[in-house]
Amino acid sequence: RPLVAAASRFGTLPSTAAAAVSLPTQQPVQQVALFSASLQATQQPVMDRSLYTVPTDAPVTFLACGPAFEKLSQAEKAYAYHLYRASWIGGLICLHQTSAESPGLFLVLQSVFRRQTPEQLRAACKAGVSDADWDAFLMYATQVLGNLGNYKSFGDTKILPDLSEEALDKIITASEAHASSERVRVAWQRVRAAASSLTERNRQLGLGTAGITAYFSDNCNESDAKLAQAFLDSRQISAYNTRLFKSAGGCSYRIVQAAAESSVVAEPTDFTDEASGRSGKFSVERGDYRELMSLALPHLRNAEAAALNANQAEMLRRYAASFAGGSIDEHKAGSRAWIRDKGPAVETYMGFIESYRDPFGVRGEFESFVAVVNKEQSAKFNALVSNAEKFLPLLPWPAAYEKDKFLQPDFTALEIVTFASSEPPLGINIPNYDDIRQSEGFKNVSLGNVLSSSFSDPKTTFLAAEDRDVWMRRIVQANELQVGLHELLGHGSGKLFQQDSDGKFNFDPSSVVDLVTGKPVASWYKVGETWDGKFSNLASAFEECRAECVGVYLCDVPEVLAVFGHPDKAEADEVIYVNWLCTARYGISSLEMYSPENGGTWRQAHSQAAFVMLRVMLEAGQGLVTIDEITGEDGKPDLTVRLDRSKISSVAKPAIGEFLKRLQSFKSTCSVEAGRAFFESYSTVDAYFQRLRDIVIARRKPRRVFIQANLSMDSAGSVSIVEYSDGPAEMIRSFRDRFSDEDWGRIEEALWQQWERDLPLMKLDLAVS
């Protein structure tokens, strides 16, 4: 699982039947007239649209990796090149997983800038478009491209253009693409109003009336998601690469799996969930995103041919089989080969991986990364791995709650070349398959160039003046330590109590005691049940909180500090202090991701986890953490978070340790109801914290987006890297360069075909609330 919140933690926040009812492309004007009329009739005003726009001075930073890439051999560069091409085709699937309008917006923006540079387009629309509108347009395009959709990858709120719909229309319609392409005109007519719309429902991603999602058809709600999950569990079908579409009549469901090949997996079958008593008719099909999956496959096979060892070749062969036929078992087999590939010069992983953006928490967003290993930095993480078995017993639970054998993973520091998904994280612990993690192992990676690019703001909010020097001096070191502990000993620790198909347990039910009740363990995971499936939309926040707790709990262990190069006590004490201070500060800044207007929900798992940890630290009392409401230098309300460093070992660590023990108990024993009630009690934002949230919102800073490098191969097979500078125009140029004209023709067609199939199910009429 990725650690994506640390940039905020340490710095700034910021079917056949379907085809039959596809929207007819020969009548775009009539479609748009109906859509716009519906939108205008039901749109509701919002108090502050600036919460959803991005200022023109938001950081847009190139993710440098050239020096590391140039150290590769030509064979290694060729391997990376083919992976890079497969990655970016697959990454476009994210558009179809985000919102109904995201694919159309991407098609329009790519088409516009493939024909004209930003400078040429600016000259073409000079009349009637102000400099402020033009700058706002460039930033909007940057955000849609950088997030692979018009919802923020961190926080899941809609990205609005900070210019009027009329000004945005003037720019697009002045382009050569709009003048020369009927498809561009149709796409723009479809999405123009939706891009600027801000109804109560489409302010954020969510399920049913709570928000917008493309993982489900527009008429699905949480009860449908629960019923579908019960069906999937009964058939032992993974939800990772699926979407759920409900019939207009509401009595039947189609589960569609991502695959290049189209076929029927299961004919319509009646199903009743015994737990809820709800019934439905379910069918399972393959062929979702089939055009994009088909385009990615040749590059995967080229990468297999260029593989540097047998494990890589098997991994890619299995991935290709999974992408062709939709089999998660094939992807698992590829993941096993990936785990065996220790210390490669070029690291990669791809597939439907992280479930943060699925409102129900079980379907994976497409993700693929290609990276170069930083051998010097990796040495620290490998030392941590080598000593892990010494550190695991220090965690606050008995040996029965730990895996029978710690499977030493590969833990490397990477320089990202490509991260084709909605946002690159800071660190990752994968694969997420419980059966593999529990018995065969996993890998950890720390993304070094993402880390170093994320912490360049000396004006971090909510810090006391006396803390700023030590913060800037130790922030990178504290982050490195936390990421290492979070990924390896956080996500890598703990046992799931399970019963197999023969009735055998992987623990002793007669002797193991529930750490919360003090009684014998009374619940566990049965055949086909998984952590994600059982805890669903709570799983991500719960697990990120558990891993973050492990990070701060172990950060004062002298042997751990020595691994990371901090044997000096004075220096180590500063690193420990900054790490705990970051936890407290992030708990406050995370309030930006809380939505009182949406039923009191959290829009981001890592942010919810951080707030929960702050609540635990405040509950510990004794002056450990204080939050002062002050007047800032600008005369406006501000906050200062203070941590009493003298009480870290005596108050903070015992409190987090006891809390962490309970989290592990709930997770190990599959105590879903008790675990949910416990965690959600700490997630509650009362009137006091809502008042603080108002200050946090007023002091928020835009989140950084990253421009990524491109790779090219000449006729002789020599691979070179194409790098960029900072700024919106460079983000646009990087996406224009990413696909050749020949490739773009095929990709455009693939995006269009998938979008045509999705539109009747997602319903571009986003004004429905």
Side-chain angles (χ1 to χ4, degrees):
R1 293 173 180 271
L3 180 61
V4 302
S8 297
R9 177 180 190 269
F10 292 92
T12 61
L13 277 170
S15 122
T16 304
V21 292
S22 293
L23 293 177
T25 59
Q26 66 269 27
Q27 293 180 314
V29 176
Q30 290 90 328
Q31 293 172 30
V32 175
L34 289 171
F35 168 52
S36 297
S38 173
L39 189 66
Q40 292 165 10
T42 57
Q43 185 155 342
Q44 302 174 17
V46 64
M47 290 295 292
D48 186 1
R49 290 176 67 91
S50 70
L51 294 175
Y52 303 90
T53 60
V54 179
T56 57
D57 61 351
V60 182
T61 306
F62 175 62
L63 197 58
C65 58
F69 185 80
E70 292 301 342
K71 292 179 181 179
L72 297 176
S73 68
Q74 275 301 318
E76 291 164 344
K77 289 179 179 178
Y79 177 59
Y81 170 76
H82 294 301
L83 291 169
Y84 148 85
R85 294 193 69 186
S87 296
W88 278 110
I89 293 172
L92 298 179
I93 289 171
C94 295
L95 297 162
H96 298 289
Q97 296 178 309
T98 302
S99 69
E101 68 270 20
S102 285
L105 283 168
F106 185 85
L107 281 165
V108 169
L109 291 171
Q110 271 289 87
S111 297
V112 165
F113 289 116
R114 294 189 71 81
R115 288 172 172 82
Q116 291 170 286
T117 66
E119 295 78 12
Q120 290 169 335
L121 180 58
R122 179 66 178 115
C125 63
K126 191 75 175 178
V129 175
S130 68
D131 288 344
D133 282 345
W134 175 253
D135 291 343
F137 166 68
L138 286 185
M139 180 54 69
Y140 178 66
T142 292
Q143 294 293 323
V144 172
L145 296 174
N147 288 274
L148 283 180
N150 67 328
Y151 283 77
K152 294 177 183 178
S153 60
F154 192 90
D156 293 343
T157 52
K158 188 168 185 177
I159 303 167
L160 283 182
D162 197 14
L163 66 163
S164 69
E165 183 181 333
E166 292 73 23
L168 182 59
D169 185 61
K170 282 182 181 179
I171 294 172
I172 297 298
T173 56
S175 68
E176 290 182 8
H178 190 272
S180 61
S181 170
E182 173 67 11
R183 182 168 284 178
V184 170
R185 291 193 293 273
V186 170
W188 179 239
Q189 287 172 326
R190 288 178 178 176
V191 303
R192 171 188 162 176
S196 298
S197 157
L198 194 63
T199 65
E200 184 175 358
R201 185 184 180 198
N202 69 24
R203 294 172 193 171
Q204 65 281 314
L205 298 180
L207 188 54
T209 59
I212 295 298
T213 180
Y215 286 102
F216 298 83
S217 58
D218 191 69
N219 56 350
C220 283
N221 57 33
E222 188 167 353
S223 64
D224 297 313
K226 289 179 179 178
L227 179 61
Q229 188 61 43
F231 170 79
L232 289 167
D233 288 345
S234 74
R235 295 296 187 94
Q236 297 186 41
I237 298 173
S238 171
Y240 272 119
N241 66 342
T242 70
R243 293 194 291 172
L244 178 66
F245 301 144
K246 182 180 176 181
S247 67
C251 57
S252 62
Y253 302 85
R254 288 193 304 125
I255 295 170
V256 290
Q257 297 174 323
E261 300 165 2
S262 299
S263 62
V264 175
V265 178
E267 296 287 354
T269 303
D270 290 325
F271 172 77
T272 299
D273 176 26
E274 294 181 2
S276 67
R278 288 198 64 206
S279 299
K281 188 181 291 291
F282 285 87
S283 64
V284 184
E285 305 168 13
R286 297 189 182 108
D288 208 6
Y289 322 120
R290 51 185 172 268
E291 291 87 2
L292 287 170
M293 300 292 272
S294 295
L295 290 177
L297 280 173
H299 300 299
L300 269 183
R301 291 174 179 134
N302 288 339
E304 179 189 345
L308 306 170
N309 60 51
N311 283 324
Q312 291 175 358
E314 181 183 354
M315 169 187 75
L316 293 168
R317 184 167 59 253
R318 297 287 196 167
Y319 288 169
S322 176
F323 291 179
S327 169
I328 289 295
D329 285 340
E330 287 286 0
H331 194 267
K332 285 184 175 181
S335 298
R336 293 184 177 99
W338 177 68
I339 293 169
R340 295 194 299 269
D341 185 26
K342 304 289 188 181
V346 176
E347 185 62 282
T348 187
Y349 192 69
M350 65 177 65
F352 296 86
I353 312 299
E354 303 297 345
S355 57
Y356 298 112
R357 302 193 90 188
D358 170 17
F360 193 64
V362 297
R363 289 162 183 81
E365 181 180 39
F366 189 91
E367 171 186 308
S368 182
F369 69 81
V370 184
V372 181
V373 173
N374 181 324
K375 294 181 179 180
E376 181 179 345
Q377 192 72 9
S378 296
K380 294 180 182 179
F381 295 121
N382 288 328
L384 185 65
V385 172
S386 298
N387 289 278
E389 289 176 278
K390 299 177 184 177
F391 302 143
L392 284 169
L394 302 178
L395 291 170
W397 51 74
Y401 279 74
E402 197 48 71
K403 297 183 183 76
D404 298 330
K405 178 178 175 58
F406 180 72
L407 303 168
Q408 289 197 351
D410 209 18
F411 198 160
T412 52
L414 304 179
E415 303 292 310
I416 284 292
V417 177
T418 281
F419 198 94
S421 195
S422 57
E423 181 184 23
L426 301 181
I428 317 174
N429 176 284
I430 39 181
N432 289 334
Y433 302 119
D434 290 338
D435 50 348
I436 296 178
R437 294 173 60 81
Q438 290 287 309
S439 60
E440 299 177 59
F442 51 89
K443 277 189 183 183
N444 297 288
V445 297
S446 171
L447 309 185
N449 54 345
V450 181
L451 287 166
S452 62
S453 298
S454 298
F455 310 128
S456 57
D457 184 6
K459 298 180 180 179
T460 302
T461 54
F462 312 134
L463 290 178
E466 61 268 26
D467 282 330
R468 291 193 177 277
D469 285 346
V470 67
W471 178 278
M472 293 305 297
R473 188 164 60 247
R474 300 301 179 195
I475 184 64
V476 173
Q477 295 164 322
N479 177 73
E480 179 186 61
L481 174 65
Q482 180 69 13
V483 169
L485 292 171
H486 173 112
E487 299 297 351
L488 177 66
L489 301 179
H491 291 313
S493 65
K495 183 176 186 175
L496 299 183
F497 295 160
Q498 297 169 321
Q499 183 179 28
D500 65 20
S501 57
D502 296 326
K504 296 180 181 178
F505 295 93
N506 68 343
F507 70 105
D508 184 357
S510 66
S511 64
V512 177
V513 174
D514 187 305
L515 302 180
V516 175
T517 67
K519 300 177 181 179
V521 168
S523 58
W524 47 82
Y525 296 85
K526 299 177 177 60
V527 176
E529 294 181 342
T530 64
W531 157 250
D532 281 337
K534 294 299 292 183
F535 282 76
S536 63
N537 59 1
L538 187 69
S540 292
F542 194 107
E543 175 63 9
E544 293 306 329
C545 189
R546 194 184 70 88
E548 279 290 275
C549 286
V550 168
V552 292
Y553 187 78
L554 294 179
C555 76
D556 64 346
V557 176
E559 293 82 0
V560 169
L561 289 159
V563 164
F564 284 90
H566 310 303
D568 177 76
K569 186 178 187 306
E571 177 182 313
D573 285 347
E574 288 190 344
V575 173
I576 295 166
Y577 174 64
V578 170
N579 200 35
W580 279 93
L581 178 61
C582 287
T583 300
R585 181 206 163 271
Y586 182 27
I588 282 295
S589 61
S590 69
L591 283 166
E592 182 184 351
M593 299 299 157
Y594 175 75
S595 295
E597 68 279 1
N598 193 32
T601 58
W602 286 89
R603 303 192 311 267
Q604 220 293 323
H606 299 81
S607 298
Q608 182 178 359
F611 179 75
V612 166
M613 292 177 70
L614 173 64
R615 290 287 303 271
V616 173
M617 294 169 70
L618 288 168
E619 185 180 73
Q622 302 183 54
L624 173 65
V625 173
T626 55
I627 304 166
D628 298 330
E629 298 182 59
I630 63 172
T631 299
E633 293 180 358
D634 57 2
K636 298 177 181 179
D638 204 345
L639 300 171
T640 299
V641 179
R642 299 177 188 274
L643 172 73
D644 186 340
R645 69 171 73 194
S646 70
K647 295 176 180 176
I648 290 175
S649 60
S650 61
V651 180
K653 185 168 182 173
I656 287 293
E658 180 61 29
F659 180 77
L660 177 57
K661 181 173 71 174
R662 288 173 175 264
L663 292 184
Q664 185 59 52
S665 182
F666 291 130
K667 181 178 180 181
S668 291
T669 62
C670 193
S671 299
V672 179
E673 292 184 8
R676 180 177 290 275
F678 177 76
F679 195 77
E680 289 182 346
S681 70
Y682 283 91
S683 303
T684 300
V685 178
D686 59 18
Y688 166 68
F689 282 111
Q690 291 206 39
R691 187 175 77 246
L692 300 190
R693 178 181 178 272
D694 291 340
I695 300 174
V696 170
I697 293 294
R699 295 285 179 181
R700 72 192 184 281
K701 293 186 178 183
R703 191 170 176 82
R704 188 182 308 274
V705 291
F706 290 109
I707 303 166
Q708 298 183 43
N710 286 312
L711 301 180
S712 64
M713 178 182 282
D714 63 21
S715 57
S718 178
V719 177
S720 58
I721 189 167
V722 182
E723 298 190 284
Y724 302 87
S725 54
D726 297 346
E730 290 290 277
M731 174 71 85
I732 290 165
R733 186 163 74 92
S734 73
F735 267 89
R736 184 187 67 216
D737 295 348
R738 193 148 286 147
F739 311 107
S740 68
D741 289 341
E742 181 181 0
D743 283 345
W744 175 247
R746 291 190 288 262
I747 291 167
E748 180 185 32
E749 185 64 27
L751 287 168
W752 184 265
Q753 293 299 327
Q754 184 65 51
W755 195 36
E756 288 280 89
R757 287 195 297 273
D758 283 353
L759 278 175
L761 304 167
M762 305 308 163
K763 295 181 180 177
L764 253 178
D765 185 355
L766 303 182
V768 175
S769 61

